[in-house]
Amino acid sequence: MKINNIYILALMIFFTLTSCVKDLDTEPLTDNILTPEKAWQDPQSYGQFLAKIYAGFALSGNEGPAGSPDMNASDQGEATFLRSYWNLQQLCTDEVIGAWDNETLRGLQFCQWNSANNFLLLNYTRIYLNIAYANEFMRQTTDEKLSFRNVSPELKAQIQTMRAETRALRALSYYFLMDLYGKIPYIPEEAGVGAYLPDQKDRAFIFSFIESELKAVETALPNNSANNYGKFTAPAAWMLLAKIYLNAEVYIQQNKYSESLIYLNKVLSAGYILEPEYKNLFNADNNQSKEIIYSIVFDGHQATTYGGTTFLLAASYKSDMNPLDNFGFSQAWSGIRSKETLSDKFTGTDKRAMFWKTDRTKETTQWSDFNQGWSVTKFSNKNRDGSNGSNAVFADTDFPVYRLADAYLMYAEAVLRGGQGGTLPQAVTYVNLLRTRANAPLISESTMNLNFILDERSRELYWEGHRRTDLIRFGKFTKEYNWPWKNGVYSGTPNIDEKYKIYPLPATEISANPKLTQNPGY
């Protein structure tokens, strides 16, 4: 089992969550209610609580796959972070089309959403719930409280590392909120529990908060090692810093490509190695890969959910694909597949083009027909030796949030955008390492430009949760780029309202907190 010390599915501490949404319908962490101080007297409680913070990015509650939920939802799979985030980042782009017919999903894939969209509420609620967990951990692990509890020096030292991880994971949560929603509520940890209406902060404030938090903890975070797989390490923090700097012109209207290269160079010197086989990055034992910098960890027995990679596998398969034999998985939901704008980006020899074409058309003229659009087979529950994962119903496959290939492409983009600290020859070398692995034609300095990088990011990173952010950064999301079903018609619409560059705050949040103003146009 790979679950080791990342998720400890054990008794969690009950406390009243601080939330910026009054009507989240959040549930206690356990039915066994303990007073907070009594619970924190247990030395194991600190590691257990940190495990809950990590699990907040993967699971829906304390009992997999859908029991003892953290928040109420009609479908607990949809209430998980990764499933809602993936839909918001991917379904509205040129890479994916969905077959399920409901207003929430149609609004996303047609780029016609509004503030009542259910996935917005689920995603927003889940991220703020994760922030609430992190804030509570920070409040409960001050030097004063640890001394009051007579915590041993050895445990105190461990808790300092846990606090660094918690701050970094909280910064990651605020990054997702800043990227998706723009101007958002900020909840300082000092606010404590109980009724609280937070102030709304703009992207400049949140950007600065993320930046300062990551820089403050980078030296205290775990290093890159096999024992730290699944933890938010120092290189993961460097990747996140490089991400916010690469997107700084979107977030704060400032050029920070040189700063991005500073942290990318740190990542590139941290000992990660390109996975020889692309497909091994997305299979049941991808935890063995030395390319993955940070992943959301799943396990077919101990970390199960109807979201996460179980969703990505099951929704991508139809029974005619014989998924149990071919992909080590028995579920087939016939939900999502590739748009032709993704399929057409690959040459015939590119190994990254992982599609099921039998009895499928490439064109998606009928969005609700799963047979229209090539099925994506990128994510699998097979191990690299060809054996099946540990459970045919729930995937062992981890979701790679950051990996070395992304750092290579970010380096090339930052150089092309004028960043100092990198060179064009080195950028070409990095990109050609990816294309060599993919069995795709090599490129030269004269043929590598920003349009190529945008397409190469799609070829390398499709369905990994980057596409919406990439299209916005390249100025292609709302204008000058067309794809099927953009604006609700198969022919698409190149230009849509600029308001769609950020999502609205959920309508229920606006109603609950009079301090908030809605994003323009919604």
Side-chain angles (χ1 to χ4, degrees), residues 123-414:
N123 174 263
Y124 185 93
T125 301
R126 173 59 66 180
I127 297 176
Y128 273 110
L129 199 56
N130 290 347
I131 290 171
Y133 295 151
N135 281 348
E136 178 68 5
F137 186 86
M138 296 302 294
R139 286 191 292 266
Q140 294 294 340
T141 55
T142 62
D143 289 340
E144 181 183 15
K145 291 204 171 188
L146 296 180
S147 296
F148 175 78
R149 296 176 192 137
N150 294 316
V151 172
S152 69
E154 294 79 13
L155 181 55
K156 278 186 178 180
Q158 296 173 23
I159 290 172
Q160 293 312 305
T161 301
M162 295 180 197
R163 282 174 62 88
E165 291 176 72
T166 298
R167 290 174 70 179
L169 290 169
R170 183 176 60 186
L172 179 66
S173 292
Y174 274 112
Y175 163 72
F176 292 134
L177 290 167
M178 176 181 69
D179 180 71
L180 292 167
Y181 303 103
K183 191 176 180 182
I184 57 171
Y186 168 71
I187 308 176
E189 65 191 56
E190 299 82 9
V193 298
Y196 176 73
L197 295 177
D199 294 322
Q200 192 172 17
K201 300 294 185 179
D202 61 16
R203 275 177 160 172
F205 177 93
I206 301 298
F207 185 101
S208 179
F209 172 78
I210 296 167
E211 180 183 34
S212 62
E213 285 289 280
L214 294 174
K215 288 183 176 181
V217 302
E218 62 175 306
T219 58
L221 289 169
N223 295 318
N224 170 28
S225 73
N227 290 335
N228 290 331
Y229 176 83
K231 292 186 177 182
F232 203 89
T233 60
W238 299 334
M239 275 293 285
L240 181 50
L241 281 164
K243 286 279 181 189
I244 67 169
Y245 290 138
L246 191 68
N247 288 283
E249 286 195 303
V250 173
Y251 300 147
I252 59 173
Q253 294 75 56
Q254 293 183 29
N255 178 328
K256 290 188 176 288
Y257 301 114
S258 296
E259 288 88 341
S260 185
L261 283 165
I262 290 172
Y263 286 95
L264 287 169
N265 283 321
K266 287 188 175 187
V267 172
L268 295 170
S269 301
Y272 295 96
I273 301 171
L274 208 63
E275 177 67 42
E277 289 290 334
Y278 181 79
K279 65 181 180 64
N280 289 342
L281 288 160
F282 314 102
N283 60 16
D285 57 357
N286 59 350
N287 60 299
Q288 296 182 25
S289 175
K290 296 180 179 179
E291 178 178 336
I292 295 176
I293 298 168
Y294 174 61
S295 67
I296 299 174
V297 177
F298 297 95
D299 182 279
H301 292 282
Q302 297 187 64
T304 59
T305 172
Y306 289 106
T309 50
T310 289
F311 156 72
L312 285 177
L313 272 70
S316 303
Y317 302 156
K318 185 181 176 182
S319 58
D320 67 351
M321 299 165 67
N322 194 4
L324 184 59
D325 289 343
N326 289 319
F327 310 111
F329 208 62
S330 62
Q331 298 201 69
W333 300 350
S334 304
I336 49 178
R337 68 272 190 210
S338 170
K339 282 179 182 164
E340 48 269 51
T341 34
L342 172 61
S343 308
D344 286 341
K345 286 182 169 60
F346 295 92
T347 64
T349 61
D350 198 321
K351 293 180 180 179
R352 298 170 295 189
M354 302 178 72
F355 301 115
W356 180 281
K357 305 176 186 178
T358 304
D359 296 326
R360 305 287 191 270
T361 64
K362 185 170 65 174
E363 293 72 26
T364 58
T365 55
Q366 296 295 322
W367 63 267
S368 58
D369 183 351
F370 186 80
N371 293 327
Q372 293 196 16
W374 292 346
S375 296
V376 172
T377 60
K378 179 172 179 173
F379 292 91
S380 167
N381 199 38
K382 287 278 190 181
N383 294 307
R384 60 184 60 203
D385 66 2
S387 62
N388 288 352
S390 67
N391 190 335
V393 179
F394 298 103
D396 283 334
T397 313
D398 300 337
F399 184 83
V401 178
Y402 300 136
R403 57 186 179 90
L404 183 60
D406 189 9
Y408 283 170
L409 292 167
M410 291 169 64
Y411 179 102
E413 181 183 340

Side-chain angles (χ1 to χ4, degrees), residues 2-18:
K2 62 183 174 184
I3 209 69
N4 53 57
N5 60 347
I6 299 304
Y7 304 150
I8 306 170
L9 304 183
L11 178 66
M12 297 304 303
I13 301 165
F14 172 80
F15 63 96
T16 305
L17 290 172
T18 300

Side-chain angles (χ1 to χ4, degrees), residues 35-143:
T35 62
E37 192 51 49
K38 181 179 179 181
W40 287 108
Q41 293 290 341
D42 182 355
Q44 295 185 21
S45 65
Y46 300 96
Q48 291 172 348
F49 206 105
L50 178 61
K52 180 64 180 180
I53 296 171
Y54 276 105
F57 290 95
L59 309 179
S60 63
N62 289 347
E63 296 177 9
S68 187
D70 297 329
M71 49 189 264
N72 286 339
S74 58
D75 183 336
Q76 280 298 307
E78 293 181 347
T80 57
F81 165 77
L82 186 56
R83 184 164 172 180
S84 64
Y85 180 72
W86 191 93
N87 281 328
L88 296 182
Q89 282 288 91
Q90 293 289 160
L91 199 56
C92 58
T93 74
D94 59 341
E95 290 188 349
V96 59
I97 188 76
W100 298 329
D101 188 7
N102 66 62
E103 184 177 353
T104 293
L105 293 172
R106 284 199 309 272
L108 292 179
Q109 68 182 11
F110 292 165
C111 295
Q112 295 176 341
W113 56 77
N114 57 40
S115 62
N117 189 286
N118 191 47
F119 269 116
L120 293 180
L121 178 61
L122 292 172
N123 174 263
Y124 185 93
T125 301
R126 173 59 66 180
I127 297 176
Y128 273 110
L129 199 56
N130 290 347
I131 290 171
Y133 295 151
N135 281 348
E136 178 68 5
F137 186 86
M138 296 302 294
R139 286 191 292 266
Q140 294 294 340
T141 55
T142 62
D143 289 340

